[in-house]
Amino acid sequence: LRRQAFEKSRANALRAIELDSSVAEAHAALATVKVKHDRDPMGAEKSFEDAINANPNCAVAYSRYTYFLAAMGRLSEAREKMGLAQQLDPLSPDMNTSLASILYFAREFDAAIKYCERALDLEPRFFEAMLWLALSYLQKGMFAEATELLIKAKETGDVEPLEILAYLFATTGEIEKARKLLKELDANSKAVHPYNMALIYSALGQKKLAFEWLEKPFINWTERLRILRLDPRMEILKSDSRFAAILQNSTAASTVVQFPRRR
């Protein structure tokens, strides 16, 4: 089904480009197929550049290019492109939140908080903004604020707020609370995000289990690379020789299994 969806997206994008090559969104859609399905970074970058050349005022083209650049470890370029996307569409909760995510990766947590708050002013229940704001709070040591926000976010039914909350409890010494949430997450193991589970076990001092989870495949290849390369929570694992091997394997094309996940 996933392959069929990508092939349909490719066909639609190519048809749109054939009809009108100035449609930036079509080039960006084709680029997304190239990077997420084909694992063709060079081809994807060419299509992202075609998108921006077709319409230098297309915020979506810049934002999708941003995710790709961040996954490739090109953070300064990603920050520049996402800044342009937000300027082009400043009233979009998504653009403000996406910029916040790049600022989080750049360790600019105060700025990330500002753009998350802007997104939530525009759409008070915007799930992505709630998560990135909680993660930024966590990095600032604002644990009470992060906990309150994650409890609110878990009302959506998504498991990720629980994963981050378990990590927060584990890092702040509330071990029993962390283990209680782990049991709940284990009962829903098909829906959890492997790298979040790895981070929880790492915070609990269980490195073996952490790396077992980190080695699990994940459907969103570029997101996996962004987290491995840029998330500050990963610093605790990077000194282990196993991490470099996992990152190297993650950059190559491989069979993936499906987990529900945002962009």
Side-chain angles (χ1 to χ4, degrees):
L1 290 177
R2 175 175 164 78
R3 180 173 182 173
Q4 290 174 0
F6 272 123
E7 291 301 343
K8 183 177 180 180
S9 180
R10 187 201 310 276
N12 290 340
L14 288 171
R15 179 59 175 160
I17 292 168
E18 182 182 351
L19 292 171
D20 185 355
S21 62
S22 68
V23 179
E25 290 85 353
H27 291 286
L30 181 58
T32 299
V33 173
K34 288 180 178 179
V35 69
K36 291 183 180 292
H37 180 261
D38 301 345
R39 305 288 177 88
D40 176 15
M42 292 182 64
E45 184 150 26
K46 172 65 167 59
S47 289
F48 280 126
E49 290 171 350
D50 288 343
I52 291 170
N53 290 333
N55 182 2
N57 295 315
C58 179
V60 170
Y62 285 110
S63 66
R64 290 192 181 183
Y65 193 15
T66 292
Y67 307 137
F68 166 80
L69 289 169
M72 298 300 108
R74 295 157 61 183
L75 184 57
S76 61
E77 293 174 75
R79 193 186 186 290
E80 178 189 357
K81 294 293 188 293
M82 198 61 237
L84 289 171
Q86 190 276 335
Q87 290 173 25
L88 288 166
D89 196 358
L91 298 181
S92 164
D94 183 54
M95 295 300 165
N96 282 286
T97 302
S98 295
L99 177 55
S101 73
I102 297 300
L103 292 166
Y104 168 86
F105 289 142
R107 276 57 165 180
E108 297 181 41
F109 304 119
D110 288 331
I113 288 170
K114 180 182 77 171
Y115 282 101
C116 284
E117 289 175 341
R118 186 172 296 179
L120 290 169
D121 284 341
L122 293 164
E123 190 173 325
R125 305 292 293 185
F126 196 66
F127 180 71
E128 297 292 328
M130 295 169 78
L131 289 189
W132 288 110
L133 182 55
L135 286 169
S136 298
Y137 280 156
L138 198 157
Q139 292 298 319
K140 291 276 292 180
M142 301 168 65
F143 302 125
E145 292 86 347
T147 300
E148 181 181 355
L149 196 58
L150 290 166
I151 289 171
K152 184 185 297 184
K154 76 182 183 67
E155 294 173 5
T156 62
D158 192 291
V159 297
E160 189 156 19
L162 290 180
E163 295 167 356
I164 300 172
L165 196 56
Y167 172 78
L168 186 158
F169 288 148
T171 56
T172 56
E174 298 187 78
I175 304 302
E176 289 308 312
K177 288 184 178 180
R179 293 192 184 282
K180 182 178 179 181
L181 286 178
L182 261 180
K183 287 182 180 179
E184 187 174 341
L185 292 167
D186 283 337
N188 196 22
S189 61
K190 290 185 178 180
V192 298
H193 307 99
Y195 52 75
N196 276 332
M197 297 296 285
L199 288 165
I200 297 166
Y201 280 111
S202 176
L204 290 171
Q206 296 178 259
K207 287 284 186 73
K208 183 175 183 294
L209 282 172
F211 279 101
E212 285 178 7
W213 273 101
L214 207 58
E215 288 170 349
K216 292 180 183 293
F218 194 66
I219 191 172
N220 194 328
W221 182 55
T222 53
E223 183 191 33
R224 177 181 175 86
L225 288 176
R226 286 194 296 273
I227 297 295
L228 288 174
R229 282 177 163 150
L230 302 174
D231 196 315
R233 294 175 296 166
M234 282 289 168
E235 291 302 319
I236 193 173
L237 295 174
K238 287 184 178 179
S239 61
D240 192 297
S241 60
R242 289 171 289 185
F243 185 89
I246 288 171
L247 179 58
Q248 183 176 0
N249 290 338
S250 297
T251 61
S254 62
T255 302
V256 294
V257 296
Q258 184 162 358
F259 292 92
R261 178 63 172 136
R262 68 185 191 277
R263 180 171 50 248

